Amino acid sequence: MAWMLAFMLLPSMGAAQQVSLMGTASGRALIAVDGSPPRFLSVGEEWAGVRLLRIQGDDVLVEVAGTRQTLRLGQVPLAATPSTASLDTRPVTLMANAGGHFTARGLINGRSVEFLVDTGATALTLSLTEARRIGLDISRGSPVRIQTANGEVTGYHLQLGTVQIGGHTSHQVSAVVLPAEIPYVLLGNSYLSRFDMKREGALMTLTPRR
């Protein structure tokens, strides 16, 4: 494919998220993630991979990286990494489009995007325009030099809190943001390597690896 990418440097994956409670007001909780500006969440809402489950006084119950944790006002920020005991095992089924490529609607950190399978991409890849549209903070990413079909460019590597496709949710997915116009979010091997892939005609099934 035209978007095949070769990464010259890719920082280590799986860094823990830093999550803290800044306050509560009017049935909402003010949550900060990885030092980003805090955001008010209502019960049931998800942002940057953090889902608010319950508010009780100055304590809130959240789900982060597949685990449930209690946040207390004023406590040291919670460091959360994916829980292998609660991995989502639901398969993902994709259908080929008219051009023979496998695409699907899905969510990144709760925001809607259009995915396209690209086994030649090292990491899940999206454009700077798309990253800004869905609220990713690339200033917290690590610069990487990337060789593309049009030459070398500087992108940004970061971790996505959640990637949801077809009812399956993956946590802490390595991604790269490129300063280029890309019509899809490319599902590279940082996502695909978590699955066993099987193609039957116009259908592709991704079965999570245990």
Side-chain angles (χ1 to χ4, degrees):
M1 294 181 57
W3 294 105
M4 300 265 289
L5 307 174
F7 289 80
M8 301 179 65
L9 172 65
L10 191 60
S12 60
M13 298 166 55
Q17 283 182 290
Q18 300 292 320
V19 185
S20 57
L21 175 65
M22 310 300 292
T24 59
S26 303
R28 298 188 298 167
L30 187 61
I31 302 292
V33 179
D34 290 335
S36 62
R39 176 171 171 174
F40 273 109
L41 296 181
S42 299
V43 172
E45 283 190 315
E46 182 174 335
W47 170 62
V50 179
R51 182 180 296 277
L52 180 62
L53 301 177
R54 186 178 67 235
I55 300 176
Q56 187 171 0
D58 290 334
D59 297 348
V60 300
L61 180 66
V62 296
E63 183 176 88
V64 187
T67 62
R68 294 189 175 192
Q69 301 283 349
T70 298
L71 298 179
R72 294 181 174 85
L73 194 60
Q75 78 175 104
V76 175
L78 165 72
T81 54
S83 169
T84 57
S86 60
L87 293 179
D88 194 336
T89 59
R90 288 172 289 186
V92 175
T93 301
L94 306 176
M95 179 171 291
N97 62 18
H101 301 303
F102 289 93
T103 62
R105 297 292 299 178
L107 304 173
I108 292 178
N109 295 346
R111 299 293 299 274
S112 179
V113 298
E114 185 82 17
F115 292 107
L116 181 145
V117 172
D118 185 354
T119 57
T122 303
L124 187 149
T125 305
L126 63 163
S127 69
L128 179 59
T129 299
E130 186 72 349
R132 288 171 172 165
R133 184 187 70 81
I134 65 175
L136 297 184
D137 184 5
I138 65 167
S139 68
R140 301 191 62 80
S142 303
V144 289
R145 297 298 295 170
I146 301 169
Q147 187 66 42
T148 72
N150 297 318
E152 191 176 271
V153 299
T154 297
Y156 294 88
H157 170 257
L158 60 149
Q159 298 289 330
L160 303 177
T162 58
V163 174
Q164 184 177 344
I165 306 175
H168 173 92
T169 301
S170 293
H171 300 272
Q172 293 297 293
V173 178
S174 179
V176 168
V177 176
L178 290 183
E181 291 304 316
I182 307 174
Y184 294 91
V185 175
L186 305 181
L187 282 177
N189 288 311
S190 62
Y191 180 84
L192 297 174
S193 63
R194 303 177 180 213
F195 300 84
D196 291 320
M197 302 172 63
K198 181 179 180 180
R199 178 174 179 174
E200 295 179 330
L203 293 180
M204 177 181 288
T205 301
L206 306 178
T207 303
R209 293 175 176 172
R210 298 179 182 274

